[in-house]
Structure formats: C-alpha cells, structure tokens
C-alpha cells in the first residue's frame, strides 16, 4: 500500500526541517558543530518516524565542506553524491535482506580504505536486529576497534533483538511516534504546497490513521490525492483509505447507546459489504470508546477531533454511564481477540454488538434463562407449543425454516452454520443439534450464539430449550427427520463422515 512519491519529495534534507524528535536532532546537530563525532550510533524507534532520514542528514552534515553551523549545504559535490546515493563513502544496507556474516565482512573490508572524497565513511544499517549471530559478532569486532574514519549508524524497530554487547558500544537515541498534531501540521503544509484542497477533518483522519508514522501519513495522503477530483473531504478520505473514520465509529456508538440491536448488526453487515476492514473498524471503535471514557471521567486531552466531534463525544459521554461505557469496552475488547482467529470475520463484532445493546434491560431474562440448567423451574412455565402435540422436537423440526429465518434477523452469519444443523432430540430440556463439521458446531457452541438460538426457538415455537450442538458422528440416537438436512442425507448415501 506504500506510495512513496510525497515521502521522497518532502523528506527533510536538513536538521531544521525535521519537525519532530527535537531532543535527538539537537544533540546530533551539536555533535556536528562541536566536531565531536562518535563511531557508532543506535537509532531506536517505530517505523516511519525519521530514523534513516536523520541518519542521512547527519551523514551529510559531518562530511559537507560548506556546512553552515550544523546544516549540510546539500549542493556541494559530496552532499549531492550522498543525496543521490552515488558516493562510495555512504553505504546503506538493509539488514532484513542482508543478514549474513558475508555481507558484514564485505562492509568491513570496504572500511579498511580511507574515504574517497568525504571525511568519514558512513555505514547505515537499517533493521540491524535482523543480522545473524555471525554477522553481529563480525560487527562487534569492528565496533570494538573502529577505523578512525568510520561512522556506524544502526537503526532498529526492535532493539530487544540487538545484542547488549552491540548496544553498549553505541550512542543510543530513542525516537518517538509523531503526534497527531505535528503530523497533521505537516500534512497541511504539504497539501498547500501541492495545491490540494482538503478539509481539516480529512487531514486529521489521515494523521490519526498513520499511527505516528511520517511515512504512513505521506503515503496515505498520496493515495487520497490520486482519487480526489475536487476537495478532499472526510468521507472521501474514509472511503479511499478504507478507514473506519471517526464519523463511522461515532454513528455506530449512537446505535449501541440506543440499544438498537438490529440496526447495529446491520451496520456491521454494511461495513463488510462495502469492503471495510473489520479488524481496523474494531480497533478504531475501541480507540473511540477509550476517548469516550476519558471524556466521561473529565480527562481533557487532544484527541485529534475536529470541533464537530469534540462536541459529539461530549454529548455521548453525558448520555452513557461509566459503567455502561466500561461494559461496552469489555464486549468489544473480547471481540478484538476473536476477530483475528474466526473465519467469519463479522461474527465477534455482531456478538459484541448484541451483548452491548442488550445489557441494559432486554438481556436480563435471556441471561437468566441461560442459567436455566440450575433453575429448572423456569422451564415449567412453557406456553403451549405451536407444534403438533406435546413433543417439543416435532414442533421445533416443523418450524425449523421459520426459526432459521428469524435468526437471520438477529445475526446473519449464524445462518451459514445453522443451515447445516439438524435438530434430532430433546433430552432434559436440551435440544441436540447435529453438525457435520466441527467448525460450525463450534460457532453455535459459543455461549452468546446459543442464547440467540434458544431465544428464537422459544419465540417461534413457545418451547423453551437449551441448544446442545454435537458432531453428527458422536450422536448415537436415531435421526428423526433426515430430509431436513440434505447434506447429512448425501453423506449417509456416500458413506462419508466429515469432521
Ligand atoms: Zn555540502
């Protein structure tokens, strides 16, 4: 997804253009102007925050003969050859693709020769944690006795994978993520500079989606520019980037807060239908809930919202209790773990939405009933079954299509599993549902899904049962209504058994 046109064009070329990492750029600039150059630096921090950018500025600054204070001129022969990566005195390697000891040996051999034109030979090793053990050992030997003219700049996103022996030989700098405010300031400048019309809301969306990374921010802005014909709005940004966007998560919260189960589940369906990344939506919604909670308890922080959403979130915070917000967070946090593993991506979100919209009042009787194994008295109050006679199983089998239809209203994705299910018996108020595949059985077995199925069966047939999903091959009893499950029948004919 990386589109690096803007990133290359607007990459800072001297210290003063770097709008973040103040402490680091000051220290490095002072080292340059005081001529106190170390032999090895370690740049630690997340991706896209300017580690290699600062490494390159530093490399030019210590070599430029026309340096002004600490800034490289960027026009002399040396600066140009460094900028164009044609100098033999600047070596950049990506340790991710050059992990071996041979690559490092080659570097070290090269270091034996004095610089061709510059004062220092600068070696930038990106993602240094990827080096092999042998390569680290070779590097360590050089760092213990570096040639006078050598300057190493090692960059890493995962410093815990860099041996302590290496770290102790370096001067370490820890880079921070870029703040949303700084990033949107930069994005605004670039938009103006490129004559792009873009709303503040859209800029904030992009900044917030970049997760503190310049590179991601500029790459996202690039993508949006490629789509825009007129002014770039927040909506367009959301569409183009497939972001969830503040507007989306805020509307979703409105539905949850108003206990609109069906609308909330539909909402998720629409996100899925329009190709949104549900995992991202989940993350964004949680982030929004966090901000809501902070607002509720009176923490005033810069959430990167425009005025509209600053007001909106305050309003929402007033409407919901702390307890309620915390419970919603719990529901959706649980979904976050599950969404990565489930093959029905919308299911965990739908479950969370159902739980979160029914926790106030409506869910109470359902929860009570799910504990009904311990309280069989509730089962006594069965209203007259709609089905023929008193056999609850007959009634359920008879109404199975209506039951499925109704479940669809609650949760679309449950249907694909339930379609394969076969109700075969009621034992001790438990309805045995047979599934040919373990995957579908497991999907229905999740407690929240069982509750939905229980409830719908009762609504349609008046029969109170607790569903008990089971694999077909584990069922020893008879199968009463084979024609309800064509798959099962087909399997039987073929003599197959599936798990
Ligand atoms: Zn220069």
């Amino acid at each position: 997804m990386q589109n690096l046109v803007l990133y290359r064009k607007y990459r800072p070329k001297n210290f003063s253009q770097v709008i973040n990492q103040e402490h680091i750029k000051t220290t490095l600039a002072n080292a340059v102007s005081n001529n106190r150059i170390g032999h090895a630096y370690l740049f630690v921090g997340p991706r896209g925050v300017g580690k290699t950018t600062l490494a390159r500025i530093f490399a030019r600054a210590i070599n430029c003969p026309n340096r002004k204070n600490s800034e490289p001129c960027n026009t002399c022969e040396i600066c140009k050859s460094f900028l164009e990566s044609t100098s033999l005195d600047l070596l950049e390697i990506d340790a991710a693709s050059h992990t071996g000891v041979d690559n490092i040996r080659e570097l070290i051999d090269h270091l034996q020769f004095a610089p061709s034109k510059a004062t220092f030979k600068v070696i930038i090793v990106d993602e240094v944690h990827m080096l092999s053990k042998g390569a680290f050992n070779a590097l360590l030997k050089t760092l213990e006795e570096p040639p006078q003219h050598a300057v190493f700049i090692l960059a890493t996103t995962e410093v815990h994978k860099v041996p302590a022996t290496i770290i102790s030989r370096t001067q370490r700098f820890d880079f921070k993520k870029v703040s949303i405010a700084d990033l949107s300031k930069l994005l605004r400048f670039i938009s103006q500079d490129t004559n792009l019309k873009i709303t503040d809301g859209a800029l904030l969306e992009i900044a917030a989606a970049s997760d503190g990374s310049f590179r991601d921010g500029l790459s996202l802005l690039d993508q949006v520019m490629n789509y825009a014909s007129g002014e770039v709005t927040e909506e367009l940004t959301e569409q183009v980037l497939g972001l969830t966007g503040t507007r989306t998560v805020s509307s979703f919260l409105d539905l949850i807060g108003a206990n609109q189960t069906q609308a909330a589940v539909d909402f998720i369906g629409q996100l899925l239908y329009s190709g949104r990344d549900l995992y991202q939506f989940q993350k964004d919604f949680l982030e929004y809930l966090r901000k809501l909670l902070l607002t509720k308890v009176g923490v005033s922080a810069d959430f990167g919202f425009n005025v509209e959403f600053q007001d909106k979130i305050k309003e929402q915070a007033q409407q919901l209790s702390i307890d309620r917000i915390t419970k919603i967070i719990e529901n959706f946090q649980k979904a976050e773990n599950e969404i990565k593993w489930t093959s029905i991506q919308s299911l965990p979100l739908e479950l969370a939405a159902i739980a979160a919209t029914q926790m106030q009042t409506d869910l109470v009787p359902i929860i009570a009933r799910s504990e009904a194994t311990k309280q069989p008295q509730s089962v006594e109050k069965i209203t007259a079954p709609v089905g023929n006679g008193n056999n609850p199983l007959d009634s359920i089998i008879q109404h199975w299509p209506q039951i499925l239809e109704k479940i669809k209203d609650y949760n679309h994705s449950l249907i694909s599993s339930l379609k394969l299910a076969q109700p075969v018996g009621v034992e001790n108020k438990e309805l045995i549902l047979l599934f040919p595949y373990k995957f579908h059985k497991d999907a229905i077995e999740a407690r929240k899904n069982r509750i939905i199925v229980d409830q719908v069966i009762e609504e349609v047939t008046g029969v109170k049962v607790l569903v008990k999903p089971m694999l077909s091959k584990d069922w020893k009893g008879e199968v009463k209504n084979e024609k309800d499950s064509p798959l099962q029948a087909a399997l039987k004919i073929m003599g197959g058994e599936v798990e």
Side-chain angles (χ1 to χ4, degrees), residues 161-208:
K161 292 184 182 163
V162 180
T165 44
I166 298 275
I167 297 176
S168 68
R169 300 264 158 204
T170 63
Q171 213 176 319
R172 173 173 169 167
F173 293 95
D174 286 277
F175 285 63
K176 294 186 202 69
K177 281 189 178 182
V178 189
S179 73
I180 293 177
D182 280 349
L183 197 49
S184 48
K185 213 188 298 172
L186 175 76
L187 292 172
R188 181 172 297 119
F189 166 77
I190 292 174
S191 310
Q192 284 163 356
D193 202 49
T194 50
N195 292 320
L196 174 74
K197 278 197 182 137
I198 184 165
T199 64
D200 285 352
L203 284 172
L204 279 170
E205 285 282 1
I206 297 172

Side-chain angles (χ1 to χ4, degrees), residues 34-53:
N34 298 330
N35 261 318
R36 297 175 59 90
I37 313 301
H39 283 297
Y41 296 87
L42 180 63
F43 288 3
V44 177
R47 49 188 293 279
V49 296
K51 297 189 296 295
T52 45
T53 298

